Amino acid sequence: MQTLKHIGIIALNTFRESIRDKILYNIVLLAIGLALFSIVLGEWSVFDRAYVIKSTTLTVMNLSCLLISIFVGISLVQKEIQRRTVLTLLSKPISRASFVVGKYFGLLAVVAVHLTLLTGVYYVILFMTNAQPTLYLLTAIYLIFCEMAVVIAVALLFSSFSSTVLSALFTLGVYLAGHLSDELLEQVRFASRMGEMGNASTAVLEKVAVVLHAVFPGLYRFNISTYVVHGLALPDLYLLWNSLYALGYVCVFLGVASWWFSRRDFL
């Protein structure tokens, strides 16, 4: 119980500190502005206006959450280390694992509030433009939250042992690999079937693609904007399995981050 109390205190302080960050407000205002701009894009587009508004706004929500996870999330631990306040905090009976987990939940709460705000803006835009708002759209927003839960854990992992710039680059790299690994594997297998490369080259590339697909979190799983925008049904238990999938990766990344952070010497 004492550990949970420490995690809660750190999470609350992290949330309060994060919402005072000017970068956060810039990202939020930019996201709202781009969401409103989707109305203009819908009018200009040759495609269905409702489709453009829905898909564009979901993309804005995803990317704005990514920016918060990277630029705000990575700085959480680095600021504590650079200001040496981490020494004061860890001199108290608080484990380093509680510190990392508390930071994680604090930033996750920030992302949740950001998504809630943008969801409100999203539905206001849909009502204003008669773009057929449905509760099914909340499914895509929920999976964006699951995806960001994994990304935040990745950001904290890298920030526990690396610099701010490198942590940002590594986190962005994992994000891109998580979205492209499945497509890369499909392209390599397609090229293998078509015989466009030599057998040796194909075998090596396919092994690399399989390793990347297995190691990096499959963030492409959380992108279901096509399904919800067109009103297509998801496979049975899709939300449940992908929620558990995200939870598993979060536990692994936080476990590694806590272990590595506990080995650091700040003196």
Side-chain angles (χ1 to χ4, degrees), residues 196-240:
E196 295 181 359
M197 298 180 293
N199 292 332
S201 300
T202 301
V204 172
L205 286 176
E206 187 169 352
K207 287 182 179 179
V208 171
V210 168
V211 170
L212 292 176
H213 188 271
V215 172
F216 288 98
L219 300 181
Y220 61 88
R221 299 168 178 264
F222 305 109
N223 182 11
I224 60 167
S225 59
T226 302
Y227 283 88
V228 299
V229 169
H230 292 288
L232 303 176
L234 290 169
D236 294 337
L237 301 178
Y238 190 87
L239 290 181
L240 174 62

Side-chain angles (χ1 to χ4, degrees), residues 80-179:
E80 299 281 3
I81 296 174
Q82 292 171 1
R83 296 173 182 172
R84 313 298 289 179
T85 54
V86 67
L87 297 177
T88 303
L89 187 61
L90 296 179
S91 63
K92 300 177 180 180
I94 299 177
S95 67
R96 297 195 179 191
S98 299
F99 175 80
V100 173
V101 175
K103 288 289 183 182
Y104 173 79
F105 281 111
L107 183 56
L108 193 63
V110 173
V111 170
V113 171
H114 175 70
L115 268 179
T116 302
L117 174 62
L118 287 188
T119 299
V121 174
Y122 189 24
Y123 275 90
V124 168
I125 292 173
L126 295 179
F127 277 113
M128 288 173 53
T129 57
N130 296 319
Q132 302 173 347
T134 62
L135 292 178
Y136 190 38
L137 294 170
L138 294 177
T139 305
I141 297 172
Y142 168 73
L143 286 181
I144 290 175
F145 177 76
C146 290
E147 179 183 357
M148 291 306 116
V150 177
V151 173
I152 292 171
V154 172
L156 285 178
L157 169 61
F158 288 126
S159 64
S160 66
F161 65 85
S162 186
S163 64
T164 303
V165 176
L166 289 178
S167 298
L169 292 175
F170 291 153
T171 304
L172 182 60
V174 171
Y175 176 83
L176 294 176
H179 277 278

Side-chain angles (χ1 to χ4, degrees), residues 27-37 60 114 117-118 121 125:
I27 295 173
V28 171
L29 292 176
L30 177 62
I32 294 175
L34 291 175
L36 294 173
F37 185 65
V60 168
H114 175 70
L117 174 62
L118 287 188
V121 174
I125 292 173

